[in-house]
Amino acid sequence: DRAAGLFRAMGDAARLRLLHLLLGGEVCVGALVAASGEKFSTVSQRLRVLRTEGLVARRRDGSHVFYALADAHVTDLVTNALA
């Protein structure tokens, strides 16, 4: 069930694009919004799904929230999926 949840979350093209943007390291939500060209609320919802499935981790610094891939395993999954 866990693996199916991971692949469901990664199976959406827009969420996979967010994961691709995070391959380079930690990124502020505002930068993800700018890079994706989508509304803040849309990006936040997609990040929530990814976080629920354990694909991304978040860190708050004052009023800014930063996201990164959860671990090297997720980096490998994303890299292999895009290869």
Side-chain angles (χ1 to χ4, degrees):
D1 288 338
R2 172 91 174 106
L6 289 173
F7 286 112
R8 247 189 324 274
M10 289 179 62
D12 177 74
R15 288 193 294 259
L16 189 55
R17 276 192 295 276
L18 288 175
L19 291 170
H20 181 253
L21 290 170
L22 294 172
L23 279 174
E26 189 177 67
V27 181
C28 177
V29 174
L32 292 172
V33 169
S36 69
E38 298 179 319
K39 294 180 184 177
F40 185 89
S41 59
T42 303
V43 172
S44 291
Q45 279 294 98
R46 291 193 172 120
L47 289 167
R48 182 188 57 78
V49 170
L50 295 171
R51 187 168 171 259
T52 299
E53 291 301 329
L55 293 166
V56 297
R58 75 176 177 185
R59 176 181 68 83
R60 181 176 294 277
D61 184 11
S63 63
H64 297 283
V65 178
F66 295 87
Y67 279 85
L69 296 179
D71 56 32
H73 177 252
V74 176
T75 301
D76 292 342
L77 278 173
V78 174
T79 301
N80 288 332
L82 296 174

